[in-house]
Amino acid sequence: MQCTIIGAGIIGLSIGWELARSGHTVTLVDPEPAGGATHAAAGMLAAVTEFHRQEADLLALSVPSAAGWPQWARDLEAATGLGTGYASPGTLVVAADAADREALADLAAAQRAAGLRIGELGTTAARAAEPLLAPRLAGAFSAPGDAQADPRRTARALLGAVEAEPRARVLRQRATAVVPCRGGWSVQVGAGGPEDRMWADEVVLATGVGRPGYGSAELGIGGLPERWRRPVRPIHGDVMRLRPTSASWPPAGPTVRALVGGQGVYILPRSDGEVVVGATEREDLQDGVSVEGAHRLLRDALRVMPALGRFELLEATARARPGTPDNLPLLGRIAPGLIAATGFHRHGVLLSVAAAAAVSALVGPATTGRPRHPPPAALDPHGLDPFDPWRFS
């Protein structure tokens, strides 16, 4: 079956590799693969500590996706010889003051009620796990099952895996229209001349909100069903990357999430010594890094881990994540031969495995006789109902 995927962030790349290794013919269309939200993402695979009460429906995707990530990473690394940065050091959740601790305790109770594993640790035990934590913290919790991956390394591996498949290719152009044609779809790129059209049995819309300067959350793709609405808005996030110096000592390993004066900050150490600090959420349509956001992140990170003050600021990045009104993705069929896989907001890296499994199930098996492999995530078919792409239309 011929499949065209519009968008090659971590969601589109994951779907593309899953379909290609299942025997489908795949074309990924994106002018700059992994150049959008994937480029800025930290890569927390945190089904537990990313849980919020208002997003309980997301557990149908996040829990099986997190469970599927270890095998997914092993398969990808074996196929390409490239690393993904996958590690499972767990997450420490710490509170800066008494009010923050009360808020985190309430959230931890809700997480446990949802069947997630998180427990109160105490600040002494937290500092034993991460000696760089500040001495005066009000409380700490532990989610030992949370993991992480490096989105930039994972995207490079996925891109290499797709391009190594004999029936797959990556077209570095912009899709401009999808038009029903001969029982499938004609996908137009560039100027849309006869040489710029390709036919597909299945088209997957895996676009985010584009790179800075592209304008807005609008797809800019003609020919989609008139009644279908894609209420995806850009939610910008500022992210800092730090590295240790001769005067500093790297963190021990677990991801640290903190509540400081009611605002969240995370500190994610990588095995190579890099530390990622993020991430703001702002809807001001400002593509560049926000001075206010960068200041707040660094201030709060230093409140939690003062030793970071001796690190070198390596990079400040901002990208827009695609968010929907209910913060749940649009995942499912729009029309025969047309599938939505977009609007993943801050969960794109975590949910990439589940998105690949869901789209693969919707497309169905290939007819090439290629051996099937186990699905990357065990999804309940009815669990996709909250993500119906028509729910806002």
Side-chain angles (χ1 to χ4, degrees):
M1 189 173 292
Q2 174 65 55
C3 303
T4 296
I5 301 161
I6 302 175
I10 192 130
I11 295 293
L13 286 168
S14 298
I15 293 168
W17 182 52
E18 180 61 22
L19 294 178
R21 70 176 180 151
S22 298
H24 296 285
T25 300
V26 173
T27 299
L28 275 155
V29 182
D30 193 311
E32 188 177 357
T38 301
H39 182 74
M44 289 180 292
L45 309 176
V48 177
T49 53
E50 279 288 306
F51 170 84
H52 292 271
R53 296 176 183 85
Q54 298 87 347
E55 301 172 12
D57 286 333
L58 202 64
L59 292 173
L61 292 180
S62 63
V63 171
S65 200
W69 245 100
Q71 185 62 52
W72 173 263
R74 286 192 292 269
D75 289 350
L76 184 55
E77 291 170 355
T80 63
L82 299 173
T84 62
Y86 177 83
S88 53
T91 299
L92 297 175
V93 186
V94 300
D97 59 32
D100 293 328
R101 187 207 165 279
E102 184 176 353
L104 289 177
D106 288 345
L107 179 58
Q111 290 163 334
R112 285 192 293 270
L116 302 174
R117 184 184 172 196
I118 186 167
E120 188 157 11
L121 189 62
T123 55
T124 300
R127 280 194 293 273
E130 178 47 82
L132 297 189
L133 285 174
R136 293 184 178 179
L137 294 172
F141 300 80
S142 174
D146 278 357
Q148 62 169 267
D150 186 331
R152 295 181 183 180
R153 294 176 64 191
T154 301
R156 283 194 292 270
L158 284 167
L159 193 58
V162 169
E163 292 179 324
E165 289 285 344
R167 299 169 65 90
R169 63 172 177 157
V170 179
L171 189 62
R172 287 170 170 80
Q173 296 191 51
R174 185 177 303 285
T176 55
V178 291
V179 180
C181 175
R182 294 184 286 113
W185 295 83
S186 173
V187 180
Q188 299 179 4
V189 298
E195 71 281 2
D196 296 326
R197 299 173 187 170
M198 67 189 84
W199 185 86
D201 296 289
E202 297 274 6
V203 174
V204 182
L205 298 175
T207 54
V209 293
R211 290 274 284 106
Y214 286 172
S216 71
E218 292 301 318
L219 270 174
I221 297 176
L224 297 172
E226 291 184 3
R227 290 181 52 247
W228 183 59
R229 298 291 179 267
R230 179 183 178 268
V232 173
R233 69 197 192 279
I235 304 173
H236 285 81
D238 306 298
V239 180
M240 312 288 122
R241 283 175 165 78
L242 319 177
R243 66 182 175 192
T245 66
S246 58
S248 63
W249 192 262
T255 299
V256 175
R257 300 179 73 110
L259 202 60
V260 181
Q263 293 187 299
V265 63
Y266 62 73
I267 301 167
L268 186 149
R270 299 208 192 282
S271 59
D272 62 0
E274 181 184 83
V275 175
V276 185
V277 176
T280 59
E281 290 191 13
R282 51 184 176 80
E283 300 188 42
D284 54 8
L285 301 180
Q286 176 183 327
D287 287 331
V289 175
S290 162
V291 171
E292 181 181 13
H295 168 72
R296 201 269 294 174
L297 288 175
L298 292 174
R299 180 199 67 201
D300 292 351
L302 290 172
R303 168 70 178 83
V304 172
M305 197 176 286
L308 293 180
R310 294 189 174 91
F311 278 50
E312 177 185 349
L313 178 58
L314 185 65
E315 178 186 309
T317 310
R319 288 292 189 273
R321 296 157 293 194
T324 64
D326 57 9
N327 289 332
L328 301 179
L330 306 174
L331 183 61
R333 281 210 176 274
I334 305 168
L338 187 62
I339 297 170
T342 184
F344 287 83
H345 188 18
R346 65 183 186 276
H347 307 294
V349 181
L350 168 62
L351 299 184
S352 57
V353 173
V359 173
S360 180
L362 289 168
V363 170
T367 58
T368 61
R370 187 168 180 168
R372 291 289 290 171
H373 53 81
L379 298 176
D380 177 358
H382 301 292
L384 293 181
D385 292 347
F387 317 113
D388 180 2
W390 280 94
R391 68 186 184 274
F392 300 113
S393 301

